[in-house]
Amino acid sequence: MSMHGFVNPPIVRGSTVLFESTAAMADRKNLKYSYGLAGTPTTKVLEDQLSELEGAHGTALVPSGLAAVTLPLLAFASAGDHVLVVDSVYSPTRRFCHQVLKRMNVTVEYYDPYIGGAIADLMRPETSVVFLEAPGSNTFEIQDVRAICDAAVAGGAVTMLDNTWATPLHFRPLDHGADMSIHALTKYPGGHSDLLMGSVSANRKTWDQLLKTQTALGINANPDDVSLVLRGMKTLGVRLRQHEKVALELAKWLETRDDVRSVLHPALPSFTDHEAFKRQFSGSSGLFSFVLDGDAMAATRFLDALTIFGLGYSWGGHESLAVLVDLSDRTIAAGPETGPLIRLQIGLEDAEDLQADLERGFEAAMG
Ligand SMILES: *Cc1c(COP(=O)(O)O)cnc(C)c1O
């Protein structure tokens, strides 16, 4: 796209694309653009950036992170199939499995995040998809991505990994044997809590089926929101470094406190999965959890006393957030049972201010 020297691509909105002749119209399969549903020159810039970062053959953009989970599941799971999903999965992914895949007569089985190569024992002739998420949602289990993907592929399944936490800057699933990498661009790539978007980056083997399904479903991303993600991508590296640094500082500080039972952060040397993390990831991000030494009422007092941390879902934006984690949908990866689990998203505020806010929370938790 010629941009006449402007450093950013224009926002190209559009449905109709005009053809020069009936011959060009008949031959539209060979044109770059023939209808807005397949994307515009603006969406193409973000697709190409993500494909490059993920080492992927192609990237599909969709209207939310959750749609980036459901699109590849719909693309590769058919009636009668068996699908393996990690038990520490983002819970709306599980909801899609039991509300939609089940109705499609797809059998969903949840597996232990620590299964590794032994996933081979769960593979059936009709297993079509193995779904991974690393680290696990809220509890941060680190899967052995290479061992699981190799066994899945040997058993004839495709693999997809929800890579939202690490971003492509800190983990590249396709380099570890996964076929597809999923992102909620809503989180760090968007980075400012003002949009929803998702992406699926696929290797050559899975790209055609993924793209066909996206086209058949009629979903893509809005070019205005794409331009916001393109803006976010320019500062992703520096923002992530700041989120990572302050989150790790605060995690280390939390570990020293008597009113904290444990801290679940993959980059902490004390974390159970730290070695598996270091072997596969090049860095961490700003989301982690800790177990409060207290009961559910203490957790409520802690959260209600916070003034900088907001109480809200999602993460990856500039602002710090805290939520009480509910793990009641887990069947295998139960998580710590020693007390209430609180998840923190560390934003871009000053570390000292955030620490003072958490201290206010601990004081209130004491009652
Ligand atoms: C937030 C999130 C999603 C969904 O993203 P939305 O844009 O909110 O739909 C999917 N996977 C993970 C791991 C997430 O954290």
Side-chain angles (χ1 to χ4, degrees), residues 64-66 69 90 133 162 164 184 186-187 196-197 315:
S64 70
L66 186 53
V69 166
Y90 175 64
E133 181 172 332
D162 189 331
T164 301
T186 307
K187 309 289 168 58
L196 290 154
M197 199 179 298
W315 44 273

Side-chain angles (χ1 to χ4, degrees), residues 258-274:
D258 291 339
D259 39 14
V260 171
R261 289 230 172 102
S262 58
V263 181
L264 282 61
H265 187 314
L268 281 180
S270 62
F271 189 63
T272 328
D273 302 357
H274 183 60

Side-chain angles (χ1 to χ4, degrees), residues 63-105:
S64 70
L66 186 53
V69 166
T70 62
L71 169 67
L73 284 169
L74 287 170
F76 292 96
S78 304
D81 284 354
H82 171 244
V83 167
L84 287 164
V85 176
V86 65
D87 194 48
S88 49
V89 77
Y90 175 64
S91 67
T93 301
R94 189 188 302 263
R95 183 181 63 202
F96 175 78
C97 291
H98 73 244
Q99 286 188 6
V100 181
L101 290 187
K102 208 167 160 185
R103 271 202 297 113
M104 289 170 55
N105 193 26

